[in-house]
Amino acid sequence: MLQRWQPPIARCLKHFIRRSFDGIQVLQNMEQCYPVPRNMTMKLTNEQISARVLYFGLFNGVGPTRTQSKMIVRNRAYSFTANISVEGCTTSTMQGQYCNQTIELLSCARSGNSSGNGSVSGFFNQSMVLCRNNFETSCHGDGEMKIYSLEILRITESLTISVQNLRLRPLDSIGNSSRIYLMCFARYGAMPLATLHDYSGDLNQSPLVIRFPKVGQWYISILALHLAKEIGGALSNVSKVCYSLEVQELECPLGKAGPNCSSERYMLQTVLRKYSTPFESYYLPDGGDVISDALNFHLEPLLSNYSVGGLDTWTYFLLDVPRGAAGGNLHVRLMSDRKMNYEIYARNGGLPSLINWDYYYVNKTSSSGDSVFFVLYNSSDEKVDFYILYVKEGIWNIALRHLNSTGDISDGQTTMSISLERCPKRCSYHGSCKSALDTSGLTLYSFCACDRNHGGFDCSIEIVSHQGHIWQSIALIASNAAAVFPAFWALRQKAFAEWVVYTVSGISSGLYHACDVGTWCVLSFGVLQFMDFWLSFMAVVSTFIYLTTIDEVFKRAIHTAVAILTALMAITKATRSSNIILVMGIGAFGLLLGWLIEFSTKYRSLSCSMGLCLNRLERWPSREWLQNLVNTVMKRFRWGFVLAGFIALAMAAISWNLESSQSYWIWHSVWHVAIYSSSFFFLCSKVITINSGNRTPTDANYQLTQQDSLSQGA
């Protein structure tokens, strides 16, 4: 749809963005919003994205922008079409961009418990899951890659990837296995490549250890290099390398997590809010010390009392964001009566740490503030308050790192609150929380519809003060008083039809803008908008028709036709910018039609004889006739007022082009004054000649007199 301006549309992809710059494909694994062009195509292969839920969002008017007007909002509406197709491989064991890469599933089994120092007083048992390839050995040549897959079902402390029984083929080879690179690439949720992976290492040198891996599907690729490397001046005859792949998952017992399973872990229970929208809930520890009414819980009784080296302790809280709640926001708060020594780390699908986290908070100056999905509110030394916007589905792990744990943690009290809310801060009580379903109908997402004075995603930004809003409302409403000038002149010239149009147009425009700015609506917004645009169109066209000197019967006929046509324009798409050109074209056509009627009335070909008509046609292009015609046109208008009318019309056009969501009130007020002033100047430009008998220029006798004078001049 064509518009005067390009609507500020942005698309936010919460997982992966793929751009194309001069043929170079750039993949970014991050949260990002970027402007959407008129046409775009995005292609992501299964080597680039993981098997998960992806959300594509289109946002119109991103940022703390005040619309100021429903007309601006409706005029910025846009239409789009989207076609999303998903192509997958027929079997899970064949993957890759062309489904030609074999995936070998590792077979896993629990191998018993291992013990480690867990505290000063005892040990914590750790369970181990051992995974191996189906064949005892796997062999592949130089540059050949093999891919394996396994699924982690529980929260895991570590994932260790190693090879056993490394051998060279053929058996009588002269190569040295220690000089071979056996590269391992691991990636969560998607196939790893040498250029795109999460973790990597040379298994021939040491095992690859992944701390706190995420729950879900992991892919491991093994690549052998330098098999035929020259050794001691002789070329190695190694053709293949064989090995046994072994993957160990180290799990902590229930209620424990962290290094050596020494920290406390709590699975929070979901408590639904009463009388609220779906998925709004609190998260509380099972049997914890819950504060009545506030649905908070005391933190100190739940903290871990064990520290590694006496430096700090970690406490983990796990919560489940159900399917369909991804359009909500996770709200985390900590409040204490003393200075807090906590750092907060949050991660989806796995335990967070100092190096693995999705969002974090250390202090007011160090947090995930650069993320568009992390918002920090009014935090201090005694209070922490932040939101994770449009939180991902699945298990979330929130870890508290307690610094200086050698002190007495019983001093003071700290309360914690974790909740899933639809709109942040209840839209700051400056708007209403709206909810809608995505196109699949499976996810409920929410957003804030702010009032006139506030903006931002949570309506927390005051765009204009209450006093400023009053002055802006007065400007938009009172500027319609400029309609008094053309209405007064039309009444003075006894042009009653034009007087009614200008008067009613100014009144309806004032009532419409009073409703538009939220002051008072005498009728529904749609009716007031129709009346405003329709009568404004009529006022413009009436100005053109007034400049003619045709009989009142013809004028009213033209007015009737124009009223029907402009009403159809106003009731369909009144706010289209192209309507301005159409109205000006209709007015110019009405003026030309009036002059043609006037011309045909003055020079009635049927009233003259054939010889007289031929005589006039022969003398038609004479210089005297053209000079008299120019003199008649020059005497018909006051050209000073015509120039003033065009200047005012130019001011109206400039103010229309300068209108934006921020400056709408000032430039639209100038538009009101300029457009009504231009009508007033054009009305004043018409010369009114009164004949004897107080007859107007539209009188038939006056027209005949002018016809005779022009005939004599010709």
Side-chain angles (χ1 to χ4, degrees), residues 403-438:
L403 305 177
N404 302 324
S405 60
T406 55
D408 187 4
I409 64 175
S410 62
D411 294 340
Q413 287 188 346
T414 304
T415 59
M416 187 174 186
S417 172
I418 304 176
S419 59
L420 186 63
E421 302 177 4
R422 301 314 306 170
C423 290
K425 294 183 66 177
R426 295 292 187 269
C427 298
S428 305
Y429 301 99
H430 295 302
S432 58
C433 185
K434 305 292 185 181
S435 297
L437 291 173
D438 69 343

mmCIF file of all heavy atoms in Angstrom, residues 403-438:
data_model
loop_
_atom_site.group_PDB
_atom_site.id
_atom_site.type_symbol
_atom_site.label_atom_id
_atom_site.label_comp_id
_atom_site.label_asym_id
_atom_site.label_seq_id
_atom_site.Cartn_x
_atom_site.Cartn_y
_atom_site.Cartn_z
ATOM 1 N N LEU A 403 28.153 -13.579 47.272
ATOM 2 C CA LEU A 403 29.531 -13.196 47.498
ATOM 3 C C LEU A 403 29.823 -13.081 48.993
ATOM 4 O O LEU A 403 28.915 -12.911 49.813
ATOM 5 C CB LEU A 403 29.821 -11.864 46.810
ATOM 6 C CG LEU A 403 29.503 -11.801 45.311
ATOM 7 C CD1 LEU A 403 29.773 -10.408 44.777
ATOM 8 C CD2 LEU A 403 30.288 -12.840 44.538
ATOM 9 N N ASN A 404 31.102 -13.155 49.327
ATOM 10 C CA ASN A 404 31.537 -12.993 50.716
ATOM 11 C C ASN A 404 30.769 -13.908 51.648
ATOM 12 O O ASN A 404 30.215 -13.500 52.664
ATOM 13 C CB ASN A 404 31.375 -11.539 51.164
ATOM 14 C CG ASN A 404 32.158 -10.583 50.295
ATOM 15 O OD1 ASN A 404 33.251 -10.897 49.846
ATOM 16 N ND2 ASN A 404 31.585 -9.412 50.038
ATOM 17 N N SER A 405 30.682 -15.178 51.271
ATOM 18 C CA SER A 405 29.880 -16.121 52.040
ATOM 19 C C SER A 405 30.478 -16.467 53.384
ATOM 20 O O SER A 405 29.860 -17.154 54.179
ATOM 21 C CB SER A 405 29.692 -17.407 51.231
ATOM 22 O OG SER A 405 30.959 -17.983 50.940
ATOM 23 N N THR A 406 31.705 -16.019 53.664
ATOM 24 C CA THR A 406 32.288 -16.303 54.974
ATOM 25 C C THR A 406 31.584 -15.537 56.074
ATOM 26 O O THR A 406 31.685 -15.899 57.245
ATOM 27 C CB THR A 406 33.776 -15.927 54.965
ATOM 28 O OG1 THR A 406 33.924 -14.557 54.564
ATOM 29 C CG2 THR A 406 34.550 -16.826 53.985
ATOM 30 N N GLY A 407 30.856 -14.476 55.703
ATOM 31 C CA GLY A 407 30.100 -13.743 56.700
ATOM 32 C C GLY A 407 28.855 -14.495 57.096
ATOM 33 O O GLY A 407 28.494 -15.529 56.551
ATOM 34 N N ASP A 408 28.155 -13.950 58.043
ATOM 35 C CA ASP A 408 26.951 -14.591 58.559
ATOM 36 C C ASP A 408 25.782 -14.246 57.652
ATOM 37 O O ASP A 408 25.362 -13.087 57.587
ATOM 38 C CB ASP A 408 26.673 -14.125 59.997
ATOM 39 C CG ASP A 408 25.532 -14.896 60.644
ATOM 40 O OD1 ASP A 408 25.008 -15.840 60.003
ATOM 41 O OD2 ASP A 408 25.178 -14.553 61.774
ATOM 42 N N ILE A 409 25.251 -15.214 56.947
ATOM 43 C CA ILE A 409 24.168 -14.947 56.006
ATOM 44 C C ILE A 409 22.834 -14.777 56.710
ATOM 45 O O ILE A 409 21.844 -14.458 56.086
ATOM 46 C CB ILE A 409 24.065 -16.090 54.972
ATOM 47 C CG1 ILE A 409 23.678 -17.399 55.665
ATOM 48 C CG2 ILE A 409 25.340 -16.235 54.194
ATOM 49 C CD1 ILE A 409 23.430 -18.540 54.701
ATOM 50 N N SER A 410 22.813 -14.999 58.014
ATOM 51 C CA SER A 410 21.547 -14.863 58.728
ATOM 52 C C SER A 410 21.235 -13.422 59.072
ATOM 53 O O SER A 410 20.131 -13.111 59.498
ATOM 54 C CB SER A 410 21.579 -15.706 60.016
ATOM 55 O OG SER A 410 22.606 -15.230 60.884
ATOM 56 N N ASP A 411 22.229 -12.531 58.938
ATOM 57 C CA ASP A 411 21.979 -11.121 59.212
ATOM 58 C C ASP A 411 21.100 -10.540 58.123
ATOM 59 O O ASP A 411 21.400 -10.656 56.943
ATOM 60 C CB ASP A 411 23.297 -10.347 59.281
ATOM 61 C CG ASP A 411 24.151 -10.778 60.462
ATOM 62 O OD1 ASP A 411 23.576 -11.368 61.397
ATOM 63 O OD2 ASP A 411 25.376 -10.548 60.429
ATOM 64 N N GLY A 412 20.024 -9.886 58.535
ATOM 65 C CA GLY A 412 19.117 -9.287 57.581
ATOM 66 C C GLY A 412 18.221 -10.318 56.917
ATOM 67 O O GLY A 412 18.385 -11.533 57.067
ATOM 68 N N GLN A 413 17.239 -9.823 56.198
ATOM 69 C CA GLN A 413 16.307 -10.690 55.487
ATOM 70 C C GLN A 413 16.178 -10.223 54.038
ATOM 71 O O GLN A 413 16.076 -9.028 53.774
ATOM 72 C CB GLN A 413 14.929 -10.686 56.159
ATOM 73 C CG GLN A 413 14.870 -11.443 57.461
ATOM 74 C CD GLN A 413 13.452 -11.565 57.980
ATOM 75 O OE1 GLN A 413 12.549 -10.871 57.514
ATOM 76 N NE2 GLN A 413 13.253 -12.448 58.948
ATOM 77 N N THR A 414 16.185 -11.201 53.144
ATOM 78 C CA THR A 414 16.025 -10.942 51.718
ATOM 79 C C THR A 414 14.864 -11.772 51.199
ATOM 80 O O THR A 414 14.780 -12.972 51.479
ATOM 81 C CB THR A 414 17.299 -11.299 50.940
ATOM 82 O OG1 THR A 414 18.411 -10.579 51.479
ATOM 83 C CG2 THR A 414 17.158 -10.951 49.474
ATOM 84 N N THR A 415 13.966 -11.138 50.493
ATOM 85 C CA THR A 415 12.836 -11.829 49.881
ATOM 86 C C THR A 415 13.013 -11.839 48.376
ATOM 87 O O THR A 415 13.583 -10.916 47.785
ATOM 88 C CB THR A 415 11.505 -11.154 50.241
ATOM 89 O OG1 THR A 415 11.533 -9.797 49.790
ATOM 90 C CG2 THR A 415 11.266 -11.195 51.740
ATOM 91 N N MET A 416 12.505 -12.902 47.776
ATOM 92 C CA MET A 416 12.622 -13.079 46.336
ATOM 93 C C MET A 416 11.257 -13.365 45.753
ATOM 94 O O MET A 416 10.433 -14.053 46.376
ATOM 95 C CB MET A 416 13.590 -14.225 46.021
ATOM 96 C CG MET A 416 13.908 -14.386 44.538
ATOM 97 S SD MET A 416 15.192 -15.637 44.261
ATOM 98 C CE MET A 416 15.470 -15.458 42.510
ATOM 99 N N SER A 417 11.022 -12.844 44.574
ATOM 100 C CA SER A 417 9.757 -13.055 43.877
ATOM 101 C C SER A 417 10.053 -13.337 42.415
ATOM 102 O O SER A 417 10.799 -12.596 41.764
ATOM 103 C CB SER A 417 8.846 -11.832 44.001
ATOM 104 O OG SER A 417 7.700 -11.973 43.176
ATOM 105 N N ILE A 418 9.493 -14.428 41.902
ATOM 106 C CA ILE A 418 9.618 -14.798 40.497
ATOM 107 C C ILE A 418 8.218 -15.035 39.960
ATOM 108 O O ILE A 418 7.468 -15.855 40.508
ATOM 109 C CB ILE A 418 10.485 -16.058 40.311
ATOM 110 C CG1 ILE A 418 11.859 -15.874 40.954
ATOM 111 C CG2 ILE A 418 10.638 -16.386 38.829
ATOM 112 C CD1 ILE A 418 12.725 -17.110 40.893
ATOM 113 N N SER A 419 7.867 -14.340 38.905
ATOM 114 C CA SER A 419 6.506 -14.447 38.374
ATOM 115 C C SER A 419 6.533 -14.339 36.861
ATOM 116 O O SER A 419 7.454 -13.771 36.271
ATOM 117 C CB SER A 419 5.594 -13.363 38.967
ATOM 118 O OG SER A 419 6.106 -12.072 38.675
ATOM 119 N N LEU A 420 5.511 -14.898 36.261
ATOM 120 C CA LEU A 420 5.302 -14.809 34.817
ATOM 121 C C LEU A 420 4.121 -13.879 34.582
ATOM 122 O O LEU A 420 3.000 -14.164 35.017
ATOM 123 C CB LEU A 420 5.028 -16.189 34.229
ATOM 124 C CG LEU A 420 4.932 -16.284 32.703
ATOM 125 C CD1 LEU A 420 6.246 -15.897 32.049
ATOM 126 C CD2 LEU A 420 4.528 -17.689 32.276
ATOM 127 N N GLU A 421 4.372 -12.751 33.931
ATOM 128 C CA GLU A 421 3.358 -11.716 33.758
ATOM 129 C C GLU A 421 3.133 -11.459 32.280
ATOM 130 O O GLU A 421 4.018 -11.678 31.447
ATOM 131 C CB GLU A 421 3.789 -10.424 34.465
ATOM 132 C CG GLU A 421 4.044 -10.608 35.956
ATOM 133 C CD GLU A 421 4.548 -9.343 36.619
ATOM 134 O OE1 GLU A 421 4.620 -8.292 35.924
ATOM 135 O OE2 GLU A 421 4.879 -9.391 37.809
ATOM 136 N N ARG A 422 1.938 -10.951 31.973
ATOM 137 C CA ARG A 422 1.601 -10.690 30.578
ATOM 138 C C ARG A 422 2.245 -9.405 30.077
ATOM 139 O O ARG A 422 2.836 -9.368 29.010
ATOM 140 C CB ARG A 422 0.072 -10.596 30.400
ATOM 141 C CG ARG A 422 -0.689 -11.827 30.820
ATOM 142 C CD ARG A 422 -0.074 -13.110 30.308
ATOM 143 N NE ARG A 422 0.120 -13.120 28.854
ATOM 144 C CZ ARG A 422 0.808 -14.055 28.214
ATOM 145 N NH1 ARG A 422 1.383 -15.025 28.879
ATOM 146 N NH2 ARG A 422 0.935 -14.011 26.904
ATOM 147 N N CYS A 423 2.134 -8.318 30.833
ATOM 148 C CA CYS A 423 2.702 -7.039 30.420
ATOM 149 C C CYS A 423 3.608 -6.520 31.528
ATOM 150 O O CYS A 423 3.257 -6.602 32.703
ATOM 151 C CB CYS A 423 1.603 -6.005 30.124
ATOM 152 S SG CYS A 423 0.654 -6.359 28.622
ATOM 153 N N PRO A 424 4.767 -5.975 31.194
ATOM 154 C CA PRO A 424 5.684 -5.481 32.221
ATOM 155 C C PRO A 424 5.079 -4.346 33.026
ATOM 156 O O PRO A 424 4.493 -3.409 32.478
ATOM 157 C CB PRO A 424 6.893 -4.995 31.406
ATOM 158 C CG PRO A 424 6.779 -5.683 30.094
ATOM 159 C CD PRO A 424 5.317 -5.868 29.842
ATOM 160 N N LYS A 425 5.184 -4.456 34.334
ATOM 161 C CA LYS A 425 4.753 -3.405 35.269
ATOM 162 C C LYS A 425 3.296 -3.009 35.082
ATOM 163 O O LYS A 425 2.910 -1.876 35.379
ATOM 164 C CB LYS A 425 5.650 -2.172 35.129
ATOM 165 C CG LYS A 425 7.089 -2.392 35.547
ATOM 166 C CD LYS A 425 7.882 -1.107 35.442
ATOM 167 C CE LYS A 425 7.396 -0.072 36.434
ATOM 168 N NZ LYS A 425 8.216 1.158 36.388
ATOM 169 N N ARG A 426 2.501 -3.940 34.576
ATOM 170 C CA ARG A 426 1.084 -3.640 34.324
ATOM 171 C C ARG A 426 0.945 -2.384 33.459
ATOM 172 O O ARG A 426 0.075 -1.543 33.666
ATOM 173 C CB ARG A 426 0.320 -3.461 35.638
ATOM 174 C CG ARG A 426 0.247 -4.721 36.491
ATOM 175 C CD ARG A 426 -0.628 -5.762 35.795
ATOM 176 N NE ARG A 426 -0.876 -6.923 36.640
ATOM 177 C CZ ARG A 426 -0.141 -8.018 36.675
ATOM 178 N NH1 ARG A 426 0.929 -8.092 35.896
ATOM 179 N NH2 ARG A 426 -0.435 -9.031 37.454
ATOM 180 N N CYS A 427 1.859 -2.276 32.483
ATOM 181 C CA CYS A 427 1.887 -1.119 31.569
ATOM 182 C C CYS A 427 2.062 0.193 32.326
ATOM 183 O O CYS A 427 1.616 1.254 31.856
ATOM 184 C CB CYS A 427 0.640 -1.075 30.692
ATOM 185 S SG CYS A 427 0.460 -2.504 29.597
ATOM 186 N N SER A 428 2.696 0.109 33.507
ATOM 187 C CA SER A 428 3.010 1.287 34.333
ATOM 188 C C SER A 428 1.769 2.080 34.692
ATOM 189 O O SER A 428 1.860 3.265 35.028
ATOM 190 C CB SER A 428 4.027 2.192 33.609
ATOM 191 O OG SER A 428 5.178 1.472 33.246
ATOM 192 N N TYR A 429 0.611 1.455 34.601
ATOM 193 C CA TYR A 429 -0.677 2.100 34.898
ATOM 194 C C TYR A 429 -0.918 3.316 34.001
ATOM 195 O O TYR A 429 -1.634 4.242 34.367
ATOM 196 C CB TYR A 429 -0.751 2.506 36.369
ATOM 197 C CG TYR A 429 -0.585 1.336 37.309
ATOM 198 C CD1 TYR A 429 0.642 1.062 37.907
ATOM 199 C CD2 TYR A 429 -1.648 0.466 37.569
ATOM 200 C CE1 TYR A 429 0.806 -0.028 38.749
ATOM 201 C CE2 TYR A 429 -1.492 -0.634 38.410
ATOM 202 C CZ TYR A 429 -0.264 -0.872 38.993
ATOM 203 O OH TYR A 429 -0.103 -1.959 39.822
ATOM 204 N N HIS A 430 -0.308 3.294 32.839
ATOM 205 C CA HIS A 430 -0.534 4.354 31.854
ATOM 206 C C HIS A 430 -1.016 3.764 30.531
ATOM 207 O O HIS A 430 -0.841 4.381 29.476
ATOM 208 C CB HIS A 430 0.741 5.155 31.612
ATOM 209 C CG HIS A 430 1.213 5.915 32.808
ATOM 210 N ND1 HIS A 430 0.432 6.849 33.452
ATOM 211 C CD2 HIS A 430 2.390 5.853 33.501
ATOM 212 C CE1 HIS A 430 1.102 7.351 34.472
ATOM 213 N NE2 HIS A 430 2.296 6.760 34.526
ATOM 214 N N GLY A 431 -1.586 2.608 30.582
ATOM 215 C CA GLY A 431 -2.099 1.957 29.385
ATOM 216 C C GLY A 431 -2.805 0.677 29.762
ATOM 217 O O GLY A 431 -2.953 0.335 30.944
ATOM 218 N N SER A 432 -3.244 -0.027 28.764
ATOM 219 C CA SER A 432 -3.957 -1.295 28.976
ATOM 220 C C SER A 432 -3.162 -2.426 28.340
ATOM 221 O O SER A 432 -2.505 -2.249 27.313
ATOM 222 C CB SER A 432 -5.368 -1.229 28.368
ATOM 223 O OG SER A 432 -5.300 -0.935 26.981
ATOM 224 N N CYS A 433 -3.230 -3.587 28.974
ATOM 225 C CA CYS A 433 -2.514 -4.767 28.498
ATOM 226 C C CYS A 433 -3.410 -5.523 27.524
ATOM 227 O O CYS A 433 -4.505 -5.967 27.884
ATOM 228 C CB CYS A 433 -2.112 -5.656 29.670
ATOM 229 S SG CYS A 433 -1.096 -7.076 29.208
ATOM 230 N N LYS A 434 -2.954 -5.657 26.303
ATOM 231 C CA LYS A 434 -3.694 -6.366 25.271
ATOM 232 C C LYS A 434 -3.057 -7.735 25.028
ATOM 233 O O LYS A 434 -1.843 -7.884 25.090
ATOM 234 C CB LYS A 434 -3.706 -5.568 23.967
ATOM 235 C CG LYS A 434 -4.248 -4.148 24.104
ATOM 236 C CD LYS A 434 -5.727 -4.138 24.421
ATOM 237 C CE LYS A 434 -6.267 -2.718 24.444
ATOM 238 N NZ LYS A 434 -7.705 -2.682 24.763
ATOM 239 N N SER A 435 -3.874 -8.711 24.752
ATOM 240 C CA SER A 435 -3.393 -10.060 24.468
ATOM 241 C C SER A 435 -3.989 -10.548 23.158
ATOM 242 O O SER A 435 -5.111 -10.193 22.802
ATOM 243 C CB SER A 435 -3.752 -11.026 25.602
ATOM 244 O OG SER A 435 -3.130 -10.649 26.814
ATOM 245 N N ALA A 436 -3.222 -11.355 22.468
ATOM 246 C CA ALA A 436 -3.676 -11.909 21.197
ATOM 247 C C ALA A 436 -2.955 -13.224 20.963
ATOM 248 O O ALA A 436 -1.911 -13.504 21.567
ATOM 249 C CB ALA A 436 -3.415 -10.937 20.049
ATOM 250 N N LEU A 437 -3.516 -14.027 20.100
ATOM 251 C CA LEU A 437 -2.911 -15.301 19.735
ATOM 252 C C LEU A 437 -2.063 -15.123 18.481
ATOM 253 O O LEU A 437 -2.378 -14.303 17.616
ATOM 254 C CB LEU A 437 -3.985 -16.363 19.486
ATOM 255 C CG LEU A 437 -4.765 -16.846 20.708
ATOM 256 C CD1 LEU A 437 -5.899 -17.763 20.272
ATOM 257 C CD2 LEU A 437 -3.868 -17.572 21.697
ATOM 258 N N ASP A 438 -0.979 -15.893 18.410
ATOM 259 C CA ASP A 438 -0.202 -15.865 17.188
ATOM 260 C C ASP A 438 -0.962 -16.587 16.080
ATOM 261 O O ASP A 438 -2.048 -17.121 16.289
ATOM 262 C CB ASP A 438 1.184 -16.470 17.412
ATOM 263 C CG ASP A 438 1.110 -17.973 17.668
ATOM 264 O OD1 ASP A 438 0.011 -18.461 17.989
ATOM 265 O OD2 ASP A 438 2.140 -18.649 17.556
#
